[in-house]
Amino acid sequence: MGKINFVFYSMIFLASIVMAGKPTAEEENLYNECDKGNGKYSSCTKLIEILSKKCDSGDMTRCSDLGSILGIELGMREAAFVPLEKSCKAGIAASCFNLGIHDIGLRGNIKKAVMNYTIACEKYSERLEEERIFKLKSCALKVALENCLRDEEEHDPVKCAIEAFEEITDKYNANSTKE
């Protein structure tokens, strides 16, 4: 299970970086001071406050950032769902990708993961190489998870989904390091 946890958090972090807009200087400074929750607590709190306000006012990129920081950096995975779901519904591909990971690894909800990877597959563009890779991963995961659900009477769909996620992640990570 250690490998899936490593892959799980690595993919969330990478997906967030790909789609995130440029943070303000203050946000960047607070993020660095927060140091993934190992730094100044007041910086983490202030960063969450700033991003929450921006998310509440309709800045979906900041909702995505908030979800990533809460879930990945600070380990508040359940709290990450609300901003990630909000930004995924608004079409932020990275949030949908991250939700798919959460749905598989934390909730075991493969049907929901398929829905989220479907959106990510449709919304990722192919402008940048990183986005193209996430698009390919999202589309491949959508198909693989649909197959896991199709065979759910014979196999555990969550176990199948975790194996499919690891296989697809390994495949695309190996391909991206060759380039």
Side-chain angles (χ1 to χ4, degrees), residues 162-172:
I162 290 170
E163 290 170 357
F165 181 86
E166 289 176 347
E167 181 181 310
I168 289 167
T169 299
D170 288 347
K171 173 185 172 185
Y172 286 99

Side-chain angles (χ1 to χ4, degrees), residues 10 32 45 52 60 68-69 71 87 99 132 150 154 168:
S10 297
N32 290 332
T45 304
S52 293
M60 292 303 114
S68 297
I69 289 168
S87 53
L99 280 173
R132 187 182 70 76
R150 198 170 298 123
E154 295 178 31
I168 289 167

Side-chain angles (χ1 to χ4, degrees), residues 82-147:
V82 172
L84 288 174
E85 286 174 343
K86 186 175 181 179
S87 53
C88 178
K89 286 179 185 175
I92 304 291
S95 293
C96 298
F97 190 91
N98 291 343
L99 280 173
I101 296 170
H102 279 299
D103 289 328
I104 293 169
L106 296 175
R107 292 189 169 169
N109 188 340
I110 308 310
K111 290 178 183 176
K112 183 76 172 159
V114 169
M115 291 173 27
N116 288 319
Y117 285 124
T118 299
I119 296 168
C121 178
E122 293 169 359
K123 296 293 182 179
Y124 272 119
S125 75
E126 295 187 24
R127 291 176 292 158
L128 302 172
E129 180 63 17
E130 293 89 8
E131 287 187 46
R132 187 182 70 76
I133 290 170
F134 277 105
K135 181 177 187 73
L136 292 170
K137 285 180 187 179
S138 299
C139 297
L141 284 163
K142 172 193 169 292
V143 171
L145 298 183
E146 287 172 339
N147 290 334

Side-chain angles (χ1 to χ4, degrees), residues 14-26:
L14 291 173
S16 301
I17 290 171
V18 169
M19 292 305 294
K22 182 129 175 77
T24 65
E26 179 184 22

